[in-house]
Amino acid sequence: MRTQLEPIPDGPPARAARSGGFTLIELLVVIAILAVLAALLLPALARARDAARATQCLGQLRQLGLAVRLYADEHDDIFPRSQHSAATHRELPWGRALAPQLGATTAQWTNLLAGLYHCPADRRVNAWSYGLNVYFELGPEDDYFGNPATWRRVTQVPRPSATILFAENAGTADHIMPNYWASEGDTGDVAKERHGGRGHYNFVDGHVKARRFPDTWVPSLTVDAWHPLRAR
């Protein structure tokens, strides 16, 4: 016989404490969620990366344009030459000639080839990402469709804000030769779509801009931002 009333349980016995691990179903759910998040984030990260590269490229081109102006100030208003004609005239090509204006020495110019002279979106290694418009080093003796005019001096360029000085380069040389273009097939030395379907251009007045290539050269429409007399 009981001498004291025993408490009656309020409900079913408590379950044993659950172990700290995940079940297979829970792991699969977490993995699926992470995969969805990655699929959503990766395109945004890629766009941010491309935008950063484009911004860096524009900045580098702006520095090149400024370096040309500083060089001209020290050399009687003359543009530097490229590999196209520098050796013939016993001058340094622009890659070396502009080094002092860019905080380096002419002996250190190869460091610039891997740095300032290389667009971060250019997948090539040790390549010239930028090319000088060769019109600025042509002389009367050069054959470019019978035009004897020259624009060796910055102040000789009629419309500096409309005339391309540097463009993104797809070739192996440090210059671009629009003087020989007769059709679209001749324009392969320009990197036309390196940045979202556009290329970057530096103009004689120093400003830089992302443009579609047809906005710079369509001979049938008399569009030619490369030729100093035709640029508009």
Side-chain angles (χ1 to χ4, degrees), residues 88-105:
T88 301
H89 293 270
R90 298 183 180 181
E91 298 179 19
L92 293 176
W94 69 263
R96 298 186 186 187
L98 298 182
Q101 284 74 30
L102 295 169
T105 66

PDB file of all heavy atoms in Angstrom, residues 88-105:
ATOM      1  N   THR A  88      64.285  53.563 -88.146  1.00  0.00           N
ATOM      2  CA  THR A  88      64.711  54.284 -89.351  1.00  0.00           C
ATOM      3  C   THR A  88      65.146  55.706 -89.022  1.00  0.00           C
ATOM      4  O   THR A  88      66.105  56.227 -89.609  1.00  0.00           O
ATOM      5  CB  THR A  88      63.566  54.321 -90.379  1.00  0.00           C
ATOM      6  OG1 THR A  88      63.200  52.978 -90.710  1.00  0.00           O
ATOM      7  CG2 THR A  88      63.973  55.068 -91.637  1.00  0.00           C
ATOM      8  N   HIS A  89      64.463  56.334 -88.083  1.00  0.00           N
ATOM      9  CA  HIS A  89      64.761  57.719 -87.717  1.00  0.00           C
ATOM     10  C   HIS A  89      65.649  57.808 -86.474  1.00  0.00           C
ATOM     11  O   HIS A  89      65.830  58.900 -85.925  1.00  0.00           O
ATOM     12  CB  HIS A  89      63.460  58.477 -87.501  1.00  0.00           C
ATOM     13  CG  HIS A  89      62.651  58.652 -88.743  1.00  0.00           C
ATOM     14  ND1 HIS A  89      62.787  59.742 -89.580  1.00  0.00           N
ATOM     15  CD2 HIS A  89      61.708  57.854 -89.327  1.00  0.00           C
ATOM     16  CE1 HIS A  89      61.956  59.621 -90.605  1.00  0.00           C
ATOM     17  NE2 HIS A  89      61.281  58.486 -90.471  1.00  0.00           N
ATOM     18  N   ARG A  90      66.174  56.670 -86.048  1.00  0.00           N
ATOM     19  CA  ARG A  90      67.078  56.610 -84.892  1.00  0.00           C
ATOM     20  C   ARG A  90      66.448  57.214 -83.644  1.00  0.00           C
ATOM     21  O   ARG A  90      67.065  57.978 -82.911  1.00  0.00           O
ATOM     22  CB  ARG A  90      68.405  57.301 -85.213  1.00  0.00           C
ATOM     23  CG  ARG A  90      69.170  56.631 -86.356  1.00  0.00           C
ATOM     24  CD  ARG A  90      70.498  57.293 -86.601  1.00  0.00           C
ATOM     25  NE  ARG A  90      71.202  56.625 -87.701  1.00  0.00           N
ATOM     26  CZ  ARG A  90      72.412  56.983 -88.131  1.00  0.00           C
ATOM     27  NH1 ARG A  90      73.060  58.001 -87.563  1.00  0.00           N
ATOM     28  NH2 ARG A  90      72.979  56.331 -89.120  1.00  0.00           N
ATOM     29  N   GLU A  91      65.191  56.847 -83.432  1.00  0.00           N
ATOM     30  CA  GLU A  91      64.472  57.261 -82.239  1.00  0.00           C
ATOM     31  C   GLU A  91      64.004  56.029 -81.482  1.00  0.00           C
ATOM     32  O   GLU A  91      63.996  54.912 -82.022  1.00  0.00           O
ATOM     33  CB  GLU A  91      63.270  58.135 -82.614  1.00  0.00           C
ATOM     34  CG  GLU A  91      63.627  59.439 -83.316  1.00  0.00           C
ATOM     35  CD  GLU A  91      62.400  60.244 -83.694  1.00  0.00           C
ATOM     36  OE1 GLU A  91      61.322  59.983 -83.117  1.00  0.00           O
ATOM     37  OE2 GLU A  91      62.518  61.124 -84.567  1.00  0.00           O
ATOM     38  N   LEU A  92      63.622  56.224 -80.247  1.00  0.00           N
ATOM     39  CA  LEU A  92      63.079  55.127 -79.460  1.00  0.00           C
ATOM     40  C   LEU A  92      61.600  54.948 -79.779  1.00  0.00           C
ATOM     41  O   LEU A  92      60.871  55.939 -79.898  1.00  0.00           O
ATOM     42  CB  LEU A  92      63.242  55.408 -77.964  1.00  0.00           C
ATOM     43  CG  LEU A  92      64.665  55.445 -77.411  1.00  0.00           C
ATOM     44  CD1 LEU A  92      64.637  55.845 -75.939  1.00  0.00           C
ATOM     45  CD2 LEU A  92      65.356  54.105 -77.588  1.00  0.00           C
ATOM     46  N   PRO A  93      61.126  53.704 -79.903  1.00  0.00           N
ATOM     47  CA  PRO A  93      59.676  53.508 -80.062  1.00  0.00           C
ATOM     48  C   PRO A  93      58.957  53.930 -78.788  1.00  0.00           C
ATOM     49  O   PRO A  93      59.542  53.977 -77.702  1.00  0.00           O
ATOM     50  CB  PRO A  93      59.554  52.004 -80.322  1.00  0.00           C
ATOM     51  CG  PRO A  93      60.790  51.407 -79.757  1.00  0.00           C
ATOM     52  CD  PRO A  93      61.862  52.431 -79.907  1.00  0.00           C
ATOM     53  N   TRP A  94      57.673  54.208 -78.921  1.00  0.00           N
ATOM     54  CA  TRP A  94      56.946  54.819 -77.817  1.00  0.00           C
ATOM     55  C   TRP A  94      56.996  54.010 -76.525  1.00  0.00           C
ATOM     56  O   TRP A  94      56.995  54.592 -75.433  1.00  0.00           O
ATOM     57  CB  TRP A  94      55.500  55.108 -78.213  1.00  0.00           C
ATOM     58  CG  TRP A  94      54.617  53.909 -78.416  1.00  0.00           C
ATOM     59  CD1 TRP A  94      54.317  53.297 -79.585  1.00  0.00           C
ATOM     60  CD2 TRP A  94      53.885  53.197 -77.413  1.00  0.00           C
ATOM     61  NE1 TRP A  94      53.467  52.235 -79.389  1.00  0.00           N
ATOM     62  CE2 TRP A  94      53.186  52.162 -78.045  1.00  0.00           C
ATOM     63  CE3 TRP A  94      53.766  53.330 -76.022  1.00  0.00           C
ATOM     64  CZ2 TRP A  94      52.372  51.257 -77.363  1.00  0.00           C
ATOM     65  CZ3 TRP A  94      52.958  52.432 -75.325  1.00  0.00           C
ATOM     66  CH2 TRP A  94      52.269  51.408 -75.999  1.00  0.00           C
ATOM     67  N   GLY A  95      57.052  52.703 -76.620  1.00  0.00           N
ATOM     68  CA  GLY A  95      57.093  51.886 -75.410  1.00  0.00           C
ATOM     69  C   GLY A  95      58.272  52.226 -74.523  1.00  0.00           C
ATOM     70  O   GLY A  95      58.169  52.226 -73.288  1.00  0.00           O
ATOM     71  N   ARG A  96      59.402  52.546 -75.144  1.00  0.00           N
ATOM     72  CA  ARG A  96      60.584  52.964 -74.392  1.00  0.00           C
ATOM     73  C   ARG A  96      60.619  54.474 -74.190  1.00  0.00           C
ATOM     74  O   ARG A  96      61.006  54.964 -73.129  1.00  0.00           O
ATOM     75  CB  ARG A  96      61.848  52.525 -75.135  1.00  0.00           C
ATOM     76  CG  ARG A  96      61.986  51.017 -75.288  1.00  0.00           C
ATOM     77  CD  ARG A  96      63.322  50.652 -75.899  1.00  0.00           C
ATOM     78  NE  ARG A  96      63.412  49.231 -76.176  1.00  0.00           N
ATOM     79  CZ  ARG A  96      64.519  48.621 -76.596  1.00  0.00           C
ATOM     80  NH1 ARG A  96      65.618  49.320 -76.800  1.00  0.00           N
ATOM     81  NH2 ARG A  96      64.520  47.321 -76.814  1.00  0.00           N
ATOM     82  N   ALA A  97      60.218  55.197 -75.216  1.00  0.00           N
ATOM     83  CA  ALA A  97      60.309  56.661 -75.148  1.00  0.00           C
ATOM     84  C   ALA A  97      59.439  57.246 -74.038  1.00  0.00           C
ATOM     85  O   ALA A  97      59.799  58.263 -73.435  1.00  0.00           O
ATOM     86  CB  ALA A  97      59.912  57.260 -76.495  1.00  0.00           C
ATOM     87  N   LEU A  98      58.301  56.608 -73.758  1.00  0.00           N
ATOM     88  CA  LEU A  98      57.387  57.145 -72.750  1.00  0.00           C
ATOM     89  C   LEU A  98      57.702  56.677 -71.336  1.00  0.00           C
ATOM     90  O   LEU A  98      57.074  57.138 -70.375  1.00  0.00           O
ATOM     91  CB  LEU A  98      55.948  56.761 -73.089  1.00  0.00           C
ATOM     92  CG  LEU A  98      55.370  57.292 -74.400  1.00  0.00           C
ATOM     93  CD1 LEU A  98      53.916  56.860 -74.545  1.00  0.00           C
ATOM     94  CD2 LEU A  98      55.493  58.800 -74.491  1.00  0.00           C
ATOM     95  N   ALA A  99      58.656  55.773 -71.181  1.00  0.00           N
ATOM     96  CA  ALA A  99      58.961  55.224 -69.859  1.00  0.00           C
ATOM     97  C   ALA A  99      59.277  56.308 -68.827  1.00  0.00           C
ATOM     98  O   ALA A  99      58.759  56.257 -67.701  1.00  0.00           O
ATOM     99  CB  ALA A  99      60.102  54.211 -69.962  1.00  0.00           C
ATOM    100  N   PRO A 100      60.112  57.308 -69.143  1.00  0.00           N
ATOM    101  CA  PRO A 100      60.393  58.333 -68.127  1.00  0.00           C
ATOM    102  C   PRO A 100      59.150  59.101 -67.689  1.00  0.00           C
ATOM    103  O   PRO A 100      59.034  59.506 -66.523  1.00  0.00           O
ATOM    104  CB  PRO A 100      61.398  59.257 -68.838  1.00  0.00           C
ATOM    105  CG  PRO A 100      62.041  58.400 -69.872  1.00  0.00           C
ATOM    106  CD  PRO A 100      60.951  57.497 -70.350  1.00  0.00           C
ATOM    107  N   GLN A 101      58.220  59.317 -68.603  1.00  0.00           N
ATOM    108  CA  GLN A 101      56.984  60.023 -68.248  1.00  0.00           C
ATOM    109  C   GLN A 101      56.062  59.155 -67.382  1.00  0.00           C
ATOM    110  O   GLN A 101      55.121  59.656 -66.778  1.00  0.00           O
ATOM    111  CB  GLN A 101      56.238  60.458 -69.508  1.00  0.00           C
ATOM    112  CG  GLN A 101      56.825  61.663 -70.221  1.00  0.00           C
ATOM    113  CD  GLN A 101      58.101  61.333 -70.979  1.00  0.00           C
ATOM    114  OE1 GLN A 101      58.276  60.212 -71.445  1.00  0.00           O
ATOM    115  NE2 GLN A 101      58.987  62.310 -71.098  1.00  0.00           N
ATOM    116  N   LEU A 102      56.354  57.862 -67.335  1.00  0.00           N
ATOM    117  CA  LEU A 102      55.523  56.922 -66.584  1.00  0.00           C
ATOM    118  C   LEU A 102      56.235  56.405 -65.341  1.00  0.00           C
ATOM    119  O   LEU A 102      55.868  55.377 -64.780  1.00  0.00           O
ATOM    120  CB  LEU A 102      55.111  55.752 -67.490  1.00  0.00           C
ATOM    121  CG  LEU A 102      54.216  56.152 -68.663  1.00  0.00           C
ATOM    122  CD1 LEU A 102      54.089  55.002 -69.654  1.00  0.00           C
ATOM    123  CD2 LEU A 102      52.829  56.584 -68.165  1.00  0.00           C
ATOM    124  N   GLY A 103      57.281  57.111 -64.925  1.00  0.00           N
ATOM    125  CA  GLY A 103      57.964  56.770 -63.688  1.00  0.00           C
ATOM    126  C   GLY A 103      58.972  55.651 -63.790  1.00  0.00           C
ATOM    127  O   GLY A 103      59.341  55.054 -62.771  1.00  0.00           O
ATOM    128  N   ALA A 104      59.418  55.338 -64.996  1.00  0.00           N
ATOM    129  CA  ALA A 104      60.408  54.283 -65.191  1.00  0.00           C
ATOM    130  C   ALA A 104      61.570  54.847 -66.009  1.00  0.00           C
ATOM    131  O   ALA A 104      61.573  56.012 -66.392  1.00  0.00           O
ATOM    132  CB  ALA A 104      59.788  53.076 -65.887  1.00  0.00           C
ATOM    133  N   THR A 105      62.550  54.010 -66.274  1.00  0.00           N
ATOM    134  CA  THR A 105      63.637  54.396 -67.162  1.00  0.00           C
ATOM    135  C   THR A 105      63.472  53.641 -68.468  1.00  0.00           C
ATOM    136  O   THR A 105      62.714  52.663 -68.547  1.00  0.00           O
ATOM    137  CB  THR A 105      65.009  54.055 -66.557  1.00  0.00           C
ATOM    138  OG1 THR A 105      65.147  52.617 -66.457  1.00  0.00           O
ATOM    139  CG2 THR A 105      65.158  54.661 -65.168  1.00  0.00           C
TER     140      THR A 105
END
